[in-house]
Every structure is written in C-alpha cells, then in structure tokens.
Amino acid sequence: MLVNAISKHSKDQLAKRVWNSMQRLGSSRLSRVECESRGTTILLLGTTSTYYQKQLAQTIAGKVPGVHHVINQLRVIDAHPTL
C-alpha cells in the first residue's frame, strides 16, 4: 500500500513539474493546458489558440526530466476564425 501512495505522489509531482515548466517557458499562452501523468508518460489535455502553441507545449513537456513519452491531445481552437 505504501508503494502505491509513493508512486501516485511521484506521478502527481511529474505532472506538476511539466505544468510549471509550461507556465514558465510558454507563459500565459499555455494557461488552458492540463497535464496528467501515467508513469513516465505525460498526457496533455485542453485547448490552445494555435498549432504552434500545441507543439510548444509538447516540446516543453518532453524536455522535463522524468518524462519519457508525451501524448498530445490538445485541441486548437482559433480565437479569430475567418469567415
């Protein structure tokens, strides 16, 4: 039981480190991104305004120590669609 608690805690810490890195390096552009961790895999959820921001989030997440895989499920929602 203790091993599971430690494992869950470390998973939460990994997701938190990824999210903090995105906020620090990507600034407010990535504020709608959510991170979940599954072992050494990070799942990116939420929305961005551009494909560049989507790729930026994935790049930042992939460079965080302890992350071995990134699953990018971010959706791009254009804030200014053309008619």
Side-chain angles (χ1 to χ4, degrees), residues 25-80:
L25 300 172
S27 69
S28 63
R29 296 179 292 179
L30 301 177
S31 63
R32 294 176 299 205
V33 174
E34 297 176 22
C35 302
E36 287 183 17
S37 59
R38 297 177 182 165
T40 59
T41 299
I42 289 292
L43 178 63
L44 301 178
L45 302 163
T47 61
T48 63
S49 299
T50 66
Y51 286 98
Y52 170 78
Q53 292 171 5
K54 178 178 179 171
Q55 185 60 44
L56 179 62
Q58 181 173 326
T59 300
I60 291 169
K63 291 184 178 190
V64 172
V67 174
H68 294 163
H69 298 88
V70 177
I71 299 172
N72 190 341
Q73 293 187 341
L74 292 169
R75 293 179 299 127
V76 177
I77 298 181
D78 189 355
H80 306 287

Side-chain angles (χ1 to χ4, degrees), residues 9-33:
H9 177 71
S10 67
K11 288 180 185 179
D12 293 343
Q13 289 301 317
L14 183 59
K16 187 175 183 177
R17 286 197 331 261
V18 169
W19 192 85
N20 286 336
S21 291
M22 281 193 279
Q23 299 315 301
R24 190 174 61 253
L25 300 172
S27 69
S28 63
R29 296 179 292 179
L30 301 177
S31 63
R32 294 176 299 205
V33 174

